[in-house]
């Protein structure tokens, strides 16, 4: 029986070998089934999830990937939380043309070279709008700087990245309008759905408030006997009274 550090090294070597096989790029497979299907198989094989354009449900079971025409299912979002994706597998992304969001969370094999490769792919440079990089210990300033090539990136979340030193300067260099650094982040499975509801409800609240403001302005030019400010305050109070607590806090 192998004991001590030698046994641990053997286990790590076996794991690295297995993960390398899971990330291996089969170019014949990409040609036969298309880049989106091949990338889906790679990501799910490594423990990640994908969401297709026009669908809300995340695909996370390799054996239940949808079948049908090759051009029907286009990857729109990737959640690589706790996955073993690594640099050698990123060539799977070369043909993807609809990816808008990528989440890298607790990815122990993600390194700067992964982000460099990601930022070199012309299709992704145009389509990626949101990125979240959380608890990836091998990422340094070099990898974050490479994200500046994602020219349509609107939202970037960086959290728990011990290898990143100049966080605030990096935000300026990437020039992302919605960059957040070291913000508390909910990693529970329902967090994504709560965030979608939060965004939707916030949008409704803003539209109602704008409607109320326009109504107040119109009353200023009318002969209404009720003072416009009282009406607007009443509507404002009513809206906020009916809002869920998390919405009011977010605003």
């Amino acid at each position: 029986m192998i004991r001590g550090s030698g046994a641990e090294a053997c286990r790590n070597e076996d794991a690295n070998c297995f993960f390398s096989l899971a990330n291996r790029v089969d170019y014949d497979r990409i040609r036969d089934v298309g880049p989106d299907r091949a990338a889906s198989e790679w990501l799910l094989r490594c423990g990640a999830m994908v969401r297709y354009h026009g669908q809300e449900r995340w695909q996370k079971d390799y054996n239940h990937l949808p079948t049908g025409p090759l051009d029907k299912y286009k990857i729109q979002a990737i959640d690589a939380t706790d996955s073993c994706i690594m640099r050698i597998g990123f060539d799977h992304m070369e043909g993807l043309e609809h990816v808008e969001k990528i989440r890298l969370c607790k990815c122990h094999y993600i390194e700067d070279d992964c982000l460099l490769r990601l930022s070199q792919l012309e299709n992704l440079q145009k389509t990626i709008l949101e990125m979240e990089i959380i608890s990836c210990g091998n990422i340094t300033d070099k990898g974050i700087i490479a994200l500046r090539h994602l020219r349509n990136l609107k939202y970037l979340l960086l959290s728990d990245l011990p290898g990143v030193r100049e966080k605030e300067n990096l935000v300026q260099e990437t020039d992302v309008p919605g960059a957040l650094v070291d913000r508390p982040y909910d990693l529970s499975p329902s967090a994504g759905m709560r965030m979608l509801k939060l965004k939707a409800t916030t949008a409704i609240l803003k539209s109602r408030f704008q409607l109320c403001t326009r109504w107040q302005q119109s009353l200023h030019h009318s002969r209404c006997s009720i003072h416009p400010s009282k009406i607007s305050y009443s509507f404002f109070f009513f809206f906020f009274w009916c809002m869920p607590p998390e919405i009011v806090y977010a605003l």
Side-chain angles (χ1 to χ4, degrees), residues 26-237:
D26 186 343
Y27 295 98
D28 292 335
R29 180 66 175 169
I30 296 176
R31 185 184 63 254
D32 292 341
V33 302
D36 288 271
R37 173 70 188 202
S40 298
E41 294 175 352
W42 162 58
L43 290 164
L44 269 64
R45 190 165 59 237
C46 293
M49 299 187 298
V50 299
R51 192 180 73 240
Y52 296 117
H53 185 76
Q55 299 187 5
E56 296 184 0
R57 186 170 64 91
W58 287 89
Q59 298 288 336
K60 53 186 177 181
D61 189 340
Y62 184 94
N63 295 318
H64 288 86
L65 280 172
T67 58
L70 297 181
D71 59 346
K72 182 178 180 180
Y73 298 99
K74 302 296 184 181
I75 299 177
Q76 185 177 25
I78 297 171
D79 186 346
T81 300
D82 285 320
S83 70
C84 67
I85 61 173
M86 56 180 59
R87 167 62 182 86
I88 61 175
F90 270 64
D91 283 355
H92 285 99
M93 294 189 180
E94 188 167 2
L96 303 182
E97 299 179 348
H98 300 81
V99 179
E100 297 179 358
K101 180 175 180 178
I102 296 179
R103 185 173 191 248
L104 304 175
C105 178
K106 299 181 181 178
C107 300
H108 302 297
Y109 295 91
I110 288 293
E111 301 174 332
D112 291 337
D113 287 345
C114 299
L115 300 185
L116 291 171
R117 178 57 178 150
L118 188 72
S119 65
Q120 292 171 351
L121 301 176
E122 294 185 5
N123 290 333
L124 299 186
Q125 288 177 359
K126 296 182 292 185
T127 62
I128 293 183
L129 304 177
E130 302 181 22
M131 277 205 69
E132 299 173 1
I133 306 176
I134 308 164
S135 302
C136 297
N138 295 322
I139 295 295
T140 69
D141 302 50
K142 180 181 178 182
I144 302 302
I145 292 175
L147 299 179
R148 70 179 184 271
H149 296 294
L150 304 178
R151 52 183 178 270
N152 289 321
L153 189 62
K154 305 298 182 185
Y155 175 83
L156 174 63
L157 174 63
L158 306 176
S159 181
D160 188 24
L161 301 175
V164 177
R165 304 300 180 185
E166 302 292 335
K167 297 182 177 64
E168 299 300 333
N169 293 335
L170 287 177
V171 170
Q172 297 178 1
E173 290 196 39
T174 54
D175 194 27
V176 177
L180 302 176
V181 180
D182 283 339
R183 296 293 182 90
Y185 202 77
D186 186 357
L187 301 180
S188 63
S190 60
M193 184 59 65
R194 290 203 304 272
M195 181 59 69
L196 290 176
K197 292 180 179 178
L198 178 63
K199 290 181 179 179
T201 312
T202 303
I204 294 173
L205 176 62
K206 290 181 179 179
S207 64
R208 290 178 180 177
F209 183 74
Q210 291 172 355
L211 178 61
C212 180
T213 302
R214 288 196 296 268
W215 189 33
Q216 180 188 5
Q217 293 173 351
S218 65
L219 287 175
H220 276 295
H221 301 287
S222 69
R223 296 181 179 180
C224 182
S225 59
I226 304 177
H227 196 279
S229 63
K230 293 183 179 180
I231 297 178
S232 63
Y233 289 146
S234 299
F235 269 82
F236 187 83
F237 175 77

